[in-house]
Amino acid sequence: MEPHYAPRTIAFQSEIFHPLVEPDIARLQRLHNQLYERGSPVYTDFSVLQNGAQLSNPAARPGALSSVAFMPDRMLFREELSPLTVEDFGRRVRGIAQAACGLLGIQVLTAHQVTVRTLANPRNFRDSRAYVKEGMFGFGPETASFGREPQLYGLRMVFPPSESEPNAHALRIESFHGDPRSIFLENQASFAPLLVARGLEPLERNVHEAYDFLVQKALTFVGRFDVRAQA
């Protein structure tokens, strides 16, 4: 039986690419106004950027970030140290992107990249460095070759698209410098272009797929090494 983990997601990011379009500030201001007219706006602040505009929320805690930026070739949604669930974030990306495409005349989305970062505590190691070094890599005295002990261990795996799996995933699993008890996991997933006229439900599904790959498949992989060596 695989160990059970309680992942703590610390960041969502959704980068939606499209052909070059002038980020019309007046129209983006109208989008912000529409959010207020619906009540309980998901973003409270509007600001003009050097190359576009941004909707955002005040930071609820140090290091927190909640925003969407509209640039000539992309929309960038970022939630860091946010209370949003994956369901909340997926709905937000789909809804705001749909409205922005209508206002800016965007007809095709050329690519979609979703990044999810989460933390999880190993069950049989108090220090994530020991988990990666001993449990995952099976290292012992070999690191003495460097004359000092590494303070971060990690690995990266890339899963390119294939005929049966059309989406790509780039996975990082590392010890976490901010809290030695926690393992840091990141999935950067890439998805195919979309025609706006066919609906943007796939944007929401893409967020869920990126998240599920991390907290289901990657954590199952992590669990296979979370075993104390027998004395």
Side-chain angles (χ1 to χ4, degrees):
M1 181 180 295
E2 302 294 347
H4 173 73
Y5 298 101
R8 308 181 303 283
T9 301
I10 57 174
F12 290 110
Q13 179 173 302
S14 174
E15 198 162 12
I16 303 169
F17 297 86
H18 54 73
L20 284 174
V21 61
E22 184 68 29
D24 190 310
I25 302 302
R27 293 186 180 186
L28 292 171
Q29 179 74 66
R30 193 184 312 161
L31 171 60
H32 189 232
N33 294 340
Q34 288 175 357
L35 296 177
Y36 268 95
E37 290 167 4
R38 296 172 189 169
S40 302
V42 294
Y43 297 109
T44 61
D45 299 335
F46 178 88
S47 56
V48 177
L49 306 176
Q50 184 176 3
N51 61 343
Q54 177 174 275
L55 307 182
S56 62
N57 291 313
R61 54 188 285 198
L65 178 65
S66 175
S67 68
V68 54
F70 300 94
M71 294 168 278
D73 66 340
R74 73 192 69 185
M75 307 175 211
L76 176 59
F77 294 79
R78 296 178 66 189
E79 294 289 328
E80 299 183 13
L81 301 180
S82 164
L84 257 63
T85 64
V86 63
E87 291 82 10
D88 294 333
F89 185 69
R91 283 192 295 267
R92 180 174 297 188
V93 167
R94 173 187 171 186
I96 298 291
Q98 186 81 60
C101 286
L103 286 170
L104 299 175
I106 297 169
Q107 299 181 12
V108 61
L109 304 179
T110 54
H112 185 205
Q113 189 172 85
V114 179
T115 302
V116 183
R117 302 183 182 99
T118 195
L119 303 175
N121 287 15
R123 298 190 52 174
N124 291 292
F125 295 83
R126 292 186 177 181
D127 191 311
S128 62
R129 291 167 295 189
Y131 161 76
V132 179
K133 176 185 177 181
E134 301 167 17
M136 185 169 277
F137 292 166
F139 289 169
E142 293 87 353
T143 52
S145 303
F146 298 102
R148 55 181 174 173
E149 189 67 13
Q151 292 304 299
L152 188 147
Y153 291 86
L155 63 88
R156 183 170 184 258
M157 293 185 285
V158 175
F159 302 84
S162 65
E163 187 173 336
S164 60
E165 297 286 348
N167 306 316
H169 298 270
L171 176 67
R172 287 169 55 201
I173 302 175
E174 299 175 353
S175 56
F176 186 53
H177 67 276
D179 177 4
R181 297 169 300 175
S182 299
I183 306 165
F184 170 86
L185 299 99
E186 177 191 87
N187 179 31
Q188 188 176 84
S190 301
F191 301 92
L194 294 172
L195 291 175
V196 175
R198 295 183 179 177
L200 298 187
E201 293 83 359
L203 293 180
E204 189 170 352
R205 291 199 298 268
N206 293 347
V207 169
H208 282 269
E209 178 170 332
Y211 179 82
D212 290 345
F213 184 92
L214 194 65
V215 302
Q216 294 180 11
K217 295 181 179 180
L219 279 180
T220 296
F221 176 78
V222 162
R224 296 186 186 279
F225 303 93
D226 192 2
V227 180
R228 266 296 178 194
Q230 298 297 318

